[in-house]
Amino acid sequence: MITLRQFTEDNAHRFWSDGKHLEDCKHQIYAFCSFGDHDNRSISEFKASDVFRFTDKLLDAGKSVSTINRYKSALKKIFREAIDMEECTKAPSIKLSKPTKGRVRFYTSKEMAQIKKWLSEAPREGKRVSNYWMWLYCVISLNTGMRSGEIAKISRDIITPCGDYIHLAITKNGDSRDVYMNEAAKEAVYELLELNNNKFVHSTFYRRWDDMRKDFLRVGIIKDTEDYKMFVFHVFRHTCATNLSSNLNVPIATISEVLGHKSIATTMKYAHAKPDHIQDVMGKLGNYHGEVAA
């Protein structure tokens, strides 16, 4: 009898490229294996109800629908691969849940100025302390769409000889990609590398970011607890996509390439339409209809 854990330990590296994505998928599958008596079952003995009970527990623990879908995706793939390798005779039916639609979130120019000011000179224990390196992370993400984990790995070794690209050997989806740097991104990258060669503790970033969010909520820059949860660094990636779409009218396929997405459907979740852009478009539509009817 082969268990799901054993199959994953022996074969996961065949289905996901080495790196964070592989480790995340293994973690998600092992969490399922540790639930109930799952470690004592054959890989062919699971039913859809077993997945439902597991995901219900995740939901009770406060996991978001999007996070739970990542667990489901990892399980779907490992069971499918087990069948292809003839180690499994059947797999549970696993359907992804439809995420609830939250607020559209991107950073405005005013919010970015407030973030820059706080990170450049924020009070701590009666002193003024600069976390300017964190603002450089923001600038890089805003101009490239890079994730914080990708920016944390920037070194001179992964900048291409021409100096225009950052080569990411492994990204979240397991693929490699070259990230083009415009002049603003280049300036921020090289400035970052001058600061401790970009060797910063990642946990420090999130601790200071949380301090900033608390200050912003207290003074009303963040309006409520729902927006507090959404006021995260990853929004810079959304802001990059939104500016490309709404302000520069860049085709969604090109934005997908910039962000390194495999699916344009994923990119659609990032490129939000700004309210003023919608107003402008609808105004042009009204003018067009008026000219046609004239």
Side-chain angles (χ1 to χ4, degrees):
M1 180 187 81
I2 184 170
T3 65
L4 177 60
R5 185 184 295 272
Q6 290 171 331
F7 180 78
T8 303
E9 289 174 345
D10 293 341
N11 298 287
H13 66 282
R14 306 178 195 276
F15 317 134
W16 294 286
S17 301
D18 286 339
K20 186 176 185 301
H21 189 52
L22 169 62
E23 295 307 314
D24 286 346
C25 291
K26 287 167 63 177
H27 166 77
Q28 290 153 2
I29 294 166
Y30 292 157
F32 178 76
C33 293
S34 298
F35 182 71
D37 65 345
H38 293 182
D39 263 331
N40 299 322
R41 299 191 198 180
S42 163
I43 195 172
S44 296
E45 293 178 352
F46 292 100
K47 300 179 180 179
S49 57
D50 296 314
V51 179
F52 284 134
R53 282 191 289 269
F54 171 66
T55 55
D56 283 347
K57 179 190 174 185
L58 295 178
L59 193 61
D60 289 342
K63 300 291 186 183
S64 68
V65 173
S66 295
T67 297
I68 292 172
N69 277 342
R70 286 193 282 272
Y71 281 81
K72 288 182 177 180
S73 294
L75 289 168
K76 283 185 69 171
K77 183 171 181 62
I78 200 70
F79 277 115
R80 184 172 65 247
E81 297 294 348
I83 289 176
D84 288 346
M85 292 182 68
E86 300 181 349
E87 293 286 2
C88 182
T89 57
K90 68 182 185 69
S93 175
I94 303 174
K95 297 181 180 179
L96 300 186
S97 303
K98 186 176 181 180
T100 55
K101 188 175 181 180
R103 293 181 188 172
V104 171
R105 194 63 171 103
F106 53 85
Y107 288 131
T108 65
S109 298
K110 182 177 180 180
E111 287 173 329
M112 286 188 284
Q114 291 163 329
I115 292 170
K116 179 181 181 181
K117 181 179 180 181
W118 196 97
L119 292 177
S120 299
E121 196 173 350
R124 187 174 64 190
E125 298 175 357
K127 300 179 180 179
R128 305 297 288 183
V129 179
S130 175
N131 290 103
Y132 184 66
W133 64 275
M134 291 176 60
W135 171 246
L136 294 175
Y137 272 50
C138 301
V139 174
I140 295 168
S141 183
L142 186 64
N143 283 278
T144 64
M146 290 176 71
R147 304 173 179 91
S148 61
E150 295 169 343
I151 298 171
K153 295 177 182 177
I154 292 177
S155 68
R156 288 178 173 81
D157 293 337
I158 66 171
I159 297 175
T160 58
C162 67
D164 289 335
Y165 295 88
I166 295 169
H167 179 69
L168 301 175
I170 300 176
T171 61
K172 184 178 178 181
N173 62 23
D175 293 341
S176 63
R177 94 173 190 268
D178 287 330
V179 178
Y180 180 77
M181 294 185 289
N182 59 24
E183 289 304 315
K186 283 184 187 179
E187 184 177 341
V189 164
Y190 285 107
E191 191 172 357
L192 181 65
L193 291 173
E194 289 298 318
L195 299 174
N196 197 30
N197 201 28
N198 191 26
K199 293 179 180 178
F200 299 100
V201 179
H202 212 49
S203 59
T204 301
F205 186 103
Y206 291 104
R207 187 166 59 250
R208 294 298 287 150
W209 188 275
D210 280 343
D211 289 341
M212 180 183 70
R213 287 198 302 170
K214 291 172 185 174
D215 276 357
F216 283 5
L217 182 61
R218 178 176 53 82
V219 300
I221 294 173
I222 294 177
K223 303 303 180 185
D224 53 39
T225 54
E226 182 181 349
D227 197 37
Y228 177 88
K229 294 177 183 178
M230 299 176 65
F231 205 97
V232 295
F233 178 82
H234 196 71
V235 170
F236 276 104
R237 185 166 160 85
H238 285 254
T239 306
C240 172
T242 299
N243 286 338
L244 288 171
S245 176
S246 286
N247 295 347
L248 301 175
N249 299 316
V250 175
I252 198 71
T254 303
I255 299 173
S256 188
E257 288 289 329
V258 170
L259 298 184
H261 288 152
K262 286 185 175 181
S263 168
I264 289 179
T266 303
T267 309
M268 293 294 290
K269 300 175 184 177
Y270 281 75
H272 311 295
K274 294 182 175 180
D276 55 351
H277 179 67
I278 294 174
Q279 292 171 3
D280 181 52
V281 168
M282 298 311 291
K284 290 178 179 178
L285 179 64
N287 293 337
Y288 171 77
H289 287 159
E291 292 172 0
V292 170

